[in-house]
Amino acid sequence: VFYLSGFDPRGAPFYRRLYRDEAAAQARVGGLQLDVGPRKRDGDFASRWRIATPGDATVTDYDFLHWDDLIRQHWLRNELKLLAAYLGVIWLGVRTGALWKVWRASWPPGVAVSFPFVLLALVLGAGAAAGLALGALAAAGLADAVPGARAIGALAGLAAFAGVVQLGRLIERRFRIYWLLRIYAFSIRLALGKLPGMEARIDAFARLFVERVRSCDADEVLVAAHSVGTIMAPMMLARALALDPELARRGPRIALLTLGQCIPMVSYIPQAARIRADMAALAAAREIDWVDFTAPTDGACFALVDPLATSGIAQPDPAAPRPKLLSPRFARLFTPASYRALRRDWYRTHFQYLMASEKPATEPGAYDYFAITAGPLRLADRFAAQAGVRDWKR
C-alpha cells in the first residue's frame, strides 16, 4: 500500500498510530485481527510499517508517502495572510466560473468554500455595527458628565468590535474553518502551477512507485489516497505510467482507492491543464482498477461525483465508467445516536474513511478500511458485486 494523506501537517507517526488504534477498534467489533509492526524510514520520501493477519496469511507493506514537510512549509499561520489568500481563492473562483461549477456539481463543498466568506462578512459587518452603535451611545450618554466622552466612546466601540471578532474566532475553532482555508489556499496554488516543490515531490513519488512495482512480488499494489491526497494520487500514477507505459500490464495488479475525493476543487480551475492531463492519462489506463468512496454526509468532498466527467475528461468506456463510485454508507455502520453525532462534526466525518466503525462491517461490500488495505482480497475483487453509482442526485 502507498498511502497519500490529505493536507495534514501530522506525519507518519500520527498516521501509523491512527491505523494501529483504529484497526484494533475494528477488530473488537468483528474485523480482522491485525498485527501492526513498527514504523521505519524507507528512503527519502516514505515511512513503512508491516501489517499481518494471524499466521501471516496476508502480509502488507504499508508505505506512508511523505509530503507533510511541504505542508508545514505552506501552513499559513499569519491570520491576515491566511484571510487574504482565501479572498484570493474566492475571487479566482468567481472570475473563472469555478465556484459556480462547484455549486452545480455538489452543493455541500460549495457551502464549505463559501461559508467562511459569509462568516467573515457577517463578523466584520456585525463588529462594525456594534462598535459604531456602542461608541455613539457611550459618547452621547457621557457627553455632559465626563470630559473626553468621544474618546471613551471610541474605546467602547473598539471593545465591541473586538468582542464580535472574538466570537467569530470561537465559531472558527468550533468548525476548524482555518484548516479549510489553508487547504483552499494550497490547492489553488497547486492548480495554478505555483508549487514547484510539490510538482518535484509528485515526480519523486512516481519514480519511487515505478521502482517498487518493478521489484516487488505482491498480489496487488494499492494506492490509497484521502482528501487532498486524491488530487495527487492520479498525478503520481499518470507520471509513473509515463516513465514505464507497461507498468500496469506486468507484475502485480495496480489499484487506486480514493477516499473523500475533492478533485474538482482544482480541476475546475482553467489553468490546471497539467492536472487534467494527468487524470486523462490515468483514465485511459484501463489496467489500473479505481474505486472511489465518498459519503453524502461529508461536506468536504464531492460525494458520488464523477471526477473525470465533471472535469471535462471523456470516459474511455462509457458502459463501464471509472472510477467506480461507491458510498461507504456510514449510517449502517453506527447506531442512530452515534451517526447523528458524526454528521454534526464535518472534520470527524471527513476522517471516518480511515477509522473503525461501531458495528461490524459484515454485509457484502461493506466498507472496512482495514480489510481493504490488509485483507486477502484485491480492491476490484472486494467490490466486484457492487454496482457503481450513476447519475446520483442529492
Side-chain angles (χ1 to χ4, degrees), residues 209-227:
F209 185 80
V210 170
E211 174 188 325
R212 296 292 166 77
V213 172
R214 284 173 173 171
S215 62
C216 82
D217 60 353
D219 296 296
E220 179 180 53
V221 177
L222 173 65
V223 178
H226 176 239
S227 192

Side-chain angles (χ1 to χ4, degrees), residues 52-207:
T53 57
D56 289 348
T58 304
V59 178
T60 301
D61 285 326
Y62 194 102
D63 274 31
F64 177 93
L65 295 177
H66 285 280
W67 65 293
D68 48 297
D69 57 320
L70 297 177
I71 295 171
R72 288 188 288 272
Q73 289 179 23
H74 297 282
W75 188 267
L76 292 174
R77 291 175 173 81
N78 183 282
E79 188 173 355
L80 292 179
K81 288 183 179 180
L82 178 59
L83 292 175
Y86 168 66
L87 292 176
V89 169
I90 292 295
W91 171 239
L92 179 67
V94 171
R95 180 166 55 85
T96 62
L99 184 58
W100 171 238
K101 287 183 178 180
V102 168
W103 274 95
R104 283 196 304 173
S106 183
W107 65 261
V111 170
V113 73
S114 304
F115 174 70
F117 180 80
V118 174
L119 178 63
L120 178 63
L122 287 174
V123 167
L124 293 179
L132 290 172
L134 185 59
L137 287 172
L142 299 173
D144 297 329
V146 180
R150 287 187 178 180
I152 295 174
L155 290 174
L158 288 173
F161 179 80
V164 174
V165 169
Q166 187 60 32
L167 177 62
R169 285 199 175 98
L170 293 176
I171 296 173
E172 182 280 319
R173 292 191 192 104
R174 166 66 178 82
F175 293 103
R176 300 176 187 254
I177 293 172
Y178 280 179
W179 194 321
L180 286 175
L181 302 195
R182 292 183 177 102
I183 290 173
Y184 300 144
F186 176 88
S187 300
I188 294 304
R189 292 189 68 196
L190 179 65
L192 296 176
K194 293 183 177 180
L195 292 172
M198 195 67 243
E199 289 286 339
R201 186 63 56 88
I202 294 171
D203 289 339
F205 287 162
R207 292 191 295 270

Side-chain angles (χ1 to χ4, degrees), residues 285-370:
R286 301 291 302 175
E287 301 85 0
I288 295 179
D289 302 313
W290 185 359
V291 175
D292 177 73
F293 273 99
T294 49
T297 50
D298 177 9
C301 78
F302 285 76
L304 303 176
V305 171
D306 180 345
L308 297 179
T310 194
S311 302
I313 300 168
Q315 287 282 353
D317 181 4
R322 55 200 314 268
K324 176 182 278 190
L325 304 179
L326 296 174
S327 168
R329 299 200 281 189
F330 292 144
R332 299 190 179 195
L333 301 176
F334 290 87
T335 63
S338 296
Y339 184 61
R340 285 194 296 271
L342 181 69
R343 292 187 62 173
R344 289 194 294 267
D345 187 342
W346 78 264
Y347 177 85
R348 178 69 168 75
T349 300
H350 194 54
F351 268 86
Q352 181 55 45
Y353 306 96
L354 309 176
M355 302 177 76
S357 61
E358 191 176 36
K359 294 181 177 180
T362 53
E363 294 183 19
Y367 182 81
D368 180 340
Y369 182 67
F370 310 99

